[in-house]
Amino acid sequence: RRHAERASASAAPGAQTEISRWVLAAPPAVGTNAKAKLLDAAAVAGLGENVDVVDSIDAAASVYAPTHRAPAGSPPKKVLIVDVGYAFTSAGVYELPSEGAPVRKSLAHAVVGARDLDRELHKLLSDDLQKKHACKVELRTKAARRLMDEVVKAKKILSTIAQATVELECFGEDSKDYRLPITRSAFEEAVADQVKVIAAVVAEAIESSGVPAEELDAVEGIGGATRVPCVIDAVARAASVSPPLGRMLDSASCVAQGAVFMAQADPADRPFA
């Protein structure tokens, strides 16, 4: 509700025309009940009755399609879009005809994302602190939150180099300083189960589309976790492609931009909506 009210307030001042339709994008994995609650929140926020909820990956496809569609007279291009966000993973195969909206051929999703990778690395370092330094990090404490902040930083570093060091100053009840080295290989071992789920989502999307992996014209990745090397490798293996992921879409804005595109189109012209 809070986000819906903020959207309504930010759109109203100085608007040149009345907003006739709102399109809200949500990860497919949230399910129909959550989408219904999102519509309820939109109603409470005063967005009106003409509100749609679409899958976020469809919104991303609507941004990708205009600049990557098939040339006139050619068969539709086939692209796999993989979104590994904070809490959810989605993958879908789309046909991009020379004209009109992209056509979704498949959709697969799971409740796994960057958050789960962070949690596993947090557990790995928490165990390291307790075993090597007798420093126990209790859940839902200030120390646990501080460690999570450093975990997110370390994950980004491990996406570029093979080793990182987590430095904790005045940490814990004893206010001691700790240096915790972590290697990419140790991180990848810790998150192996989560990465397998991500790969399974990609494989399911390809298999259910009826499009052989070798016929895909491109694989596009969005979401912060698609920059983690072991996730990139898992997607590559599942999709049987190399190089595995294109970076033509801006992860930070493509879903919102796609929702605008879909709001401008007639719902009947959105075959994947």
Side-chain angles (χ1 to χ4, degrees):
R1 173 183 174 180
R2 182 175 67 253
H3 294 301
E5 289 176 338
R6 188 177 301 168
S8 179
S10 64
Q16 299 298 313
T17 58
E18 183 180 352
I19 297 174
S20 59
R21 176 181 296 145
W22 292 85
V23 171
L24 311 178
V30 301
T32 55
N33 289 337
K35 291 179 180 179
K37 292 179 181 178
L38 185 57
L39 288 173
D40 290 341
V44 172
L47 300 190
E49 297 181 355
N50 202 358
V51 181
D52 296 330
V53 179
V54 300
D55 290 331
S56 55
I57 195 168
D58 288 344
S62 70
V63 176
Y64 185 85
T67 55
H68 296 84
R69 62 175 70 256
S74 300
K77 286 188 176 180
K78 301 176 181 66
V79 58
L80 169 68
I81 297 180
V82 180
D83 179 6
V84 188
Y86 176 68
F88 304 102
T89 293
S90 308
V93 173
Y94 294 82
E95 285 189 346
L96 311 182
S98 58
E99 294 182 0
V103 179
R104 188 174 71 191
K105 304 298 291 184
S106 66
L107 175 66
H109 50 76
V111 183
V112 63
R115 172 184 63 182
D116 301 280
L117 307 185
D118 295 342
R119 287 172 174 171
E120 292 302 319
L121 182 53
H122 188 281
K123 183 178 183 300
L124 182 66
L125 293 176
S126 295
D127 291 346
D128 200 26
L129 275 169
Q130 185 167 1
K131 292 176 181 178
K132 296 181 180 179
H133 305 284
C135 176
K136 186 175 182 180
V137 180
E138 299 287 351
L139 295 177
R140 290 179 286 277
T141 62
K142 182 179 179 180
R145 291 191 294 272
R146 276 193 61 194
L147 180 58
M148 182 58 78
D149 290 341
E150 297 304 318
V151 160
V152 173
K153 295 176 185 177
K155 186 183 69 176
K156 292 179 180 179
I157 294 172
L158 292 173
S159 294
T160 58
I161 59 177
Q163 183 167 333
T165 300
V166 173
E167 298 188 2
L168 301 167
E169 298 181 355
C170 298
F171 185 81
E173 294 181 356
D174 297 331
S175 297
K176 292 184 178 180
D177 298 341
Y178 300 98
R179 288 173 56 88
L180 305 174
I182 179 69
T183 63
R184 181 187 291 176
S185 59
F187 167 63
E188 291 179 347
E189 182 178 351
V191 301
D193 290 342
Q194 289 71 29
V195 173
K196 286 179 181 178
V197 175
I198 294 171
V201 169
V202 175
E204 180 185 346
I206 296 173
E207 182 178 359
S208 60
S209 72
V211 177
E214 60 271 17
E215 293 184 10
L216 291 171
D217 294 292
V219 179
E220 183 72 15
I222 61 173
T226 57
R227 297 189 179 277
V228 176
C230 59
V231 173
I232 295 174
D233 292 342
V235 172
R237 290 192 298 271
S240 301
V241 292
S242 180
L245 291 176
R247 299 290 180 187
M248 303 304 294
L249 291 173
D250 177 17
S251 296
S253 64
C254 67
V255 171
Q257 186 179 358
V260 173
F261 286 179
M262 297 175 78
Q264 293 172 332
D266 189 292
D269 294 330
R270 293 193 242 134
F272 47 50

